[in-house]
Amino acid sequence: MAKEYRLEEINKHTAEDDCWVIIHGKVYDVTDFLDSHPGGPEYLTDFSGTKNATEQFEDFGHSKSARDMLKDYLIGVVHPDDVEKLGSSTTKKADSGSSDNPSWITAVVGIVAVVVALYLKFGQSE
């Protein structure tokens, strides 16, 4: 069974030399990853401690390899009595909505397809 952490404990880890984040109700110690994070350490520290980083993690559309990397930093889970305090996005299944093809890419491809179709129909000179 995974170690359970109370929010009071998690909230003590919000600095660049000691940084924990909560994603999908799981607690990750990302201190050693801060300097490697493509968005920079500030992005992770901004969502550290008791701030639920699930929505930000999902909205960015992290790749499968980024999701797989999380396993290396997993240290436990949010205590069941504290999960509700974080909001509903905490308990979503980690794989829900995830893919190697984020939704924004799908939207861009769709827009490009429409533009190309309109160009082919109306934009060619005879």
Side-chain angles (χ1 to χ4, degrees):
M1 183 170 174
K3 180 165 177 147
E4 296 175 345
Y5 290 96
R6 300 304 303 241
L7 292 179
E8 297 80 25
E9 173 62 26
I10 297 167
N11 204 39
K12 296 176 184 175
H13 306 275
T14 59
E16 286 193 29
D17 63 344
D18 184 19
C19 183
W20 293 7
V21 296
I22 300 169
I23 301 172
H24 294 293
K26 296 179 180 176
V27 181
Y28 300 91
D29 181 349
V30 294
T31 307
D32 292 339
F33 181 67
L34 290 178
D35 290 333
S36 302
H37 187 260
E42 299 83 18
Y43 191 79
L44 290 172
T45 56
D46 285 351
F47 293 101
S48 63
T50 56
K51 296 174 190 146
N52 184 2
T54 302
E55 187 174 339
Q56 289 74 18
F57 182 82
E58 291 301 337
D59 284 352
F60 186 78
H62 285 88
S63 66
K64 181 175 179 345
S65 61
R67 292 170 186 283
D68 290 343
M69 285 177 64
L70 280 177
K71 296 172 192 168
D72 297 335
Y73 301 100
L74 180 65
I75 58 170
V77 297
V78 175
H79 191 280
D81 292 343
D82 289 339
V83 169
E84 285 186 26
K85 297 175 187 174
L86 293 172
S88 61
S89 62
T90 302
T91 56
K92 285 195 296 187
K93 186 178 175 203
D95 291 330
S96 68
S98 69
S99 76
D100 287 333
N101 186 17
S103 59
W104 67 270
I105 292 176
T106 304
V108 169
V109 169
I111 291 168
V112 169
V114 169
V115 170
V116 169
L118 289 171
Y119 173 77
L120 291 175
K121 184 169 183 164
F122 300 110
Q124 294 180 334
S125 60
E126 295 182 29

